[in-house]
Amino acid sequence: MAQRYEIGPFNVFLGGSYSATVLPVHTDFVTVYGMGAVGSNRALCRAEKMNVIPCHLSQLPALLDSGAIRVDVVLMQVSRPDHDGLHSYGAANSYAQHALARARMRIAAINDWAPRTASTRRPDLSDYDIVVRDQEPLVELPSSTPDETDSAVAANIARFIADGAILQVGIGTVPNALLAALGDRRRLGLHSGVVGDAIVPLIESGVLDNSTKTLDRGRTVTNALAGTRRLSDFADGNPDLLVEPVDRTHDHSVLAGLKGFVSVNSAVEVDLTGQVGSEVAGRHYLGTIGGQLDFVRGALAAEGGRSIMGLPARTAKGTSRIVARIESAVVTVPRSDADIIATEFGIAELRGKSIEQRVKAMISIAHPDERDALMDAARKHVAGIAR
């Protein structure tokens, strides 16, 4: 970025980013494309300096393989070799390797700070044109501390997590509260897109042992590590923690084969029919499509699977997050895929329910002060509700 004037105008594709490498100020000479407001990319989206490509995370490999998203230069971080001389993709084994075949320049940066993670696929340095050393410490993401509302949402979600369940849980206050509430469970498994420090105590205590999995039995599976040095050290050389590519972690056939798979995600807002908005508030990006719908549909296809959206009933400013209509009109998960919605006020089970039944269930988990207004709005704006 510092040399952008010497390089000349160029484009950058960003997935998730938690560093200050690409900032709004850099877009004076660089055009940024990406998937939305993940981590520090939120600043780019807030400044309207990111060209968002709406797609599911599971679609990225095909988009890169086909050249629909064109990449000329690939820069990938890899770990130092392990005792067998094998490198790994470190903290994130996502999708960038799918750009290698069409790229004209392939660069591998060996970072001594990157954990030597286990995976069914590892980088081959002969695939790269240039190999450089990188001594930059990894960005650390300390776990966010849940408040009473987050814990209440998590307690309602936890009712659906039985012994032996296989979880997909992300990072954030509600996921952290949920994982902290599962200490009395047994034989849990995990197959997720991203994990944070909160998984470590569950694995160390034996709660999360992956013993019920038919695939990757005994092994935790994720696409990326997003935590502190504690998580990196835990993953380094750990054969029971797989950091796998997105075409495996988000593959629908893989997810559908996970018996008892429970997908837990968050949202910006949910409407009275079960439509979920997880990307935009008003006209500002706060999130991304990412792998949310991949996991939702994978869970719904799995035997005994459930899909759960957990969110506080109101924003920190007191605005209802249960709404009659998605304000931005950007729907991340359609109502046809709705299953369980959880707030601190309870649970709305929507699968198999009519529009009228859904509206009543959703209003029952909204903040009590919002319920009358939501019913009035439903009568005006929701098709299928008697006026």
Side-chain angles (χ1 to χ4, degrees):
M1 290 296 106
Q3 299 176 79
R4 62 191 183 278
Y5 303 117
E6 300 169 41
I7 296 171
F10 61 95
N11 300 334
V12 169
F13 179 81
L14 292 176
S17 178
Y18 295 93
S19 72
T21 302
V22 184
L23 300 173
V25 66
H26 298 136
T27 59
D28 59 349
F29 223 58
V30 179
T31 302
V32 178
Y33 293 84
M35 295 184 66
V38 182
S40 54
N41 288 352
R42 185 171 290 188
L44 288 162
C45 290
R46 187 181 301 115
E48 299 185 338
K49 298 299 184 180
M50 174 179 281
N51 297 281
V52 175
I53 300 175
C55 66
H56 305 295
L57 198 56
S58 62
Q59 294 174 318
L60 267 182
L63 292 171
L64 292 166
D65 286 339
S66 67
I69 296 179
R70 176 186 167 192
V71 176
D72 297 306
V73 180
V74 179
L75 173 59
M76 295 188 67
Q77 185 179 99
V78 300
S79 74
R80 65 196 189 283
D82 61 17
H83 60 276
D84 293 321
L86 299 175
H87 297 266
S88 77
Y89 289 109
N93 183 357
S94 197
Y95 50 80
Q97 57 266 43
H98 286 272
L100 292 175
R102 289 178 173 269
R104 60 178 174 81
M105 178 61 66
R106 297 162 288 267
I107 306 166
I110 301 174
N111 190 332
D112 290 338
W113 292 89
R116 297 165 296 177
T117 49
S119 177
T120 56
R121 298 183 214 166
R122 292 175 176 267
D124 182 347
L125 294 193
S126 66
D127 292 334
Y128 296 84
D129 302 292
I130 298 174
V131 178
V132 299
R133 304 292 298 196
D134 181 9
Q135 299 298 324
E136 188 73 19
L138 299 187
V139 174
E140 294 196 42
L141 299 174
S143 296
S144 50
T145 302
D147 59 20
E148 290 184 6
T149 299
D150 299 319
S151 297
V153 176
N156 284 327
I157 295 172
R159 292 158 44 191
F160 294 90
I161 312 298
D163 289 347
I166 299 171
L167 305 179
Q168 174 262 315
V169 181
I171 56 175
T173 52
V174 170
N176 288 342
L178 174 62
L179 292 173
L182 298 179
D184 62 346
R185 303 304 197 274
R186 297 293 179 267
R187 305 185 314 282
L188 295 181
L190 190 138
H191 182 110
S192 204
V194 60
V195 297
D197 288 7
I199 69 162
V200 177
L202 286 180
I203 296 175
E204 291 178 334
S205 67
V207 170
L208 205 166
D209 65 6
N210 298 286
S211 61
T212 65
K213 284 184 174 180
T214 55
L215 179 67
D216 301 313
R217 189 182 297 276
R219 305 174 106 180
T220 295
V221 175
T222 188
N223 180 236
L225 308 174
T228 66
R229 182 70 182 272
R230 182 189 186 195
L231 181 60
S232 294
D233 288 346
F234 181 79
D236 187 53
N238 187 343
D240 296 328
L241 176 54
L242 295 180
V243 180
E244 291 284 76
V246 69
D247 57 3
R248 190 162 187 269
T249 55
H250 292 66
D251 181 81
H252 292 188
S253 63
V254 170
L255 300 175
L258 297 173
K259 184 178 179 180
F261 185 48
V262 181
S263 171
V264 182
N265 287 285
S266 59
V268 174
E269 56 188 2
V270 182
D271 80 6
L272 295 176
T273 70
Q275 294 187 124
V276 175
S278 299
E279 304 162 67
V280 178
R283 63 185 307 274
H284 298 289
Y285 272 89
L286 299 179
T288 179
I289 296 172
Q292 186 169 100
L293 191 55
D294 295 323
F295 284 120
V296 167
R297 290 183 169 168
L300 294 179
E303 181 181 347
R306 301 304 301 260
S307 168
I308 305 173
M309 292 289 165
L311 69 164
R314 281 178 162 177
T315 68
K317 295 182 179 180
T319 302
S320 181
R321 296 173 69 173
I322 307 299
V323 296
R325 295 186 294 186
I326 301 293
E327 180 186 5
S328 65
V330 177
V331 174
T332 309
V333 179
R335 61 187 182 179
S336 54
D337 291 298
D339 186 11
I340 298 169
I341 312 297
T343 72
E344 68 271 31
F345 296 104
I347 293 288
E349 295 191 64
L350 305 183
R351 186 158 45 165
K353 299 291 178 63
S354 70
I355 296 297
E356 186 168 1
Q357 290 171 327
R358 289 177 178 222
V359 168
K360 290 178 179 178
M362 288 299 298
I363 289 175
S364 75
I365 65 169
H367 191 284
D369 293 347
E370 307 283 354
R371 293 175 186 175
D372 289 343
L374 285 170
M375 181 54 77
D376 290 341
R379 293 191 180 103
K380 293 178 182 177
H381 302 300
V382 180
I385 296 295
R387 292 175 183 270

